[in-house]
Amino acid sequence: MRAGNDGGESVSTIEQEASDWRAEIAARNRWRQLEARERKWTMAVFGLMGYSAFANVLAGVMALASPRDAAIGFVLGALYAVGVYRVWLKDDTRWWPVALPAGLTIAFLAFVALGGAYHPIPVVLNVVLLALVPFRAKAAAKANAAKHATLS
């Protein structure tokens, strides 16, 4: 069946092109949704790590009277800052830029708790930070897979 005098394209060819076009739009929309989900997880990790970097450096500045405490604050702050850099600017989804400073902080706070000083808020924030790592990695993997499927 011909679709008039428009150059001889068949209706089935036009319908196939429209179907392909709709499928391409749907794939792009899916990729955008997955990318937005990855961005939300990245923002959550970035926010917690940025807060932790700032808090640890500030604690190091406030503890300058005790060189050991200041050094711990500055080292943890530097590790968090490296993690923020890797997460935000390098878009790194590996576990170590987040887990290393968070794990060290949890271990240090557990050691301090043995001495009688318990700080629950930093422990909870770092546990949440560790819990966000697999969610962010999974979202990034899905977004990358959808992006490659869209481009091919």
Side-chain angles (χ1 to χ4, degrees):
M1 179 173 159
R2 299 277 177 185
N5 294 332
D6 60 353
E9 285 191 75
S10 69
V11 172
S12 63
T13 305
I14 294 171
E15 288 174 355
Q16 180 64 34
E17 288 175 2
S19 177
D20 291 344
W21 183 65
R22 281 189 222 104
E24 184 179 325
I25 291 172
R28 277 196 313 251
N29 287 341
R30 174 79 176 137
W31 172 65
R32 286 183 186 126
Q33 290 171 347
L34 291 170
E35 192 176 58
R37 186 177 304 154
E38 178 196 3
R39 195 174 316 115
K40 287 178 186 176
W41 289 116
T42 299
M43 289 299 294
V45 170
F46 172 75
L48 287 173
M49 289 194 75
Y51 168 77
S52 295
F54 176 75
N56 279 296
V57 169
L58 186 62
V61 169
M62 292 173 61
L64 283 176
S66 170
R68 183 186 63 209
D69 292 342
I72 290 170
F74 286 134
V75 167
L76 286 175
L79 286 172
Y80 277 110
V82 167
V84 167
Y85 169 74
R86 299 293 305 176
V87 166
W88 189 253
L89 294 177
K90 292 293 186 176
D91 200 24
D92 194 350
T93 57
R94 293 179 293 181
W95 64 270
W96 69 265
V98 176
L100 181 66
L104 287 174
T105 300
I106 291 171
F108 176 71
L109 290 173
F111 179 71
V112 170
L114 292 175
Y118 184 63
H119 305 288
I121 301 298
V123 172
V124 169
L125 288 177
N126 283 290
V127 167
V128 168
L129 193 57
L130 287 175
L132 289 176
V133 171
F135 291 115
R136 181 173 176 263
K138 189 176 180 180
K142 284 183 178 180
N144 284 337
K147 181 179 181 180
H148 293 300
T150 303
L151 295 177
S152 60

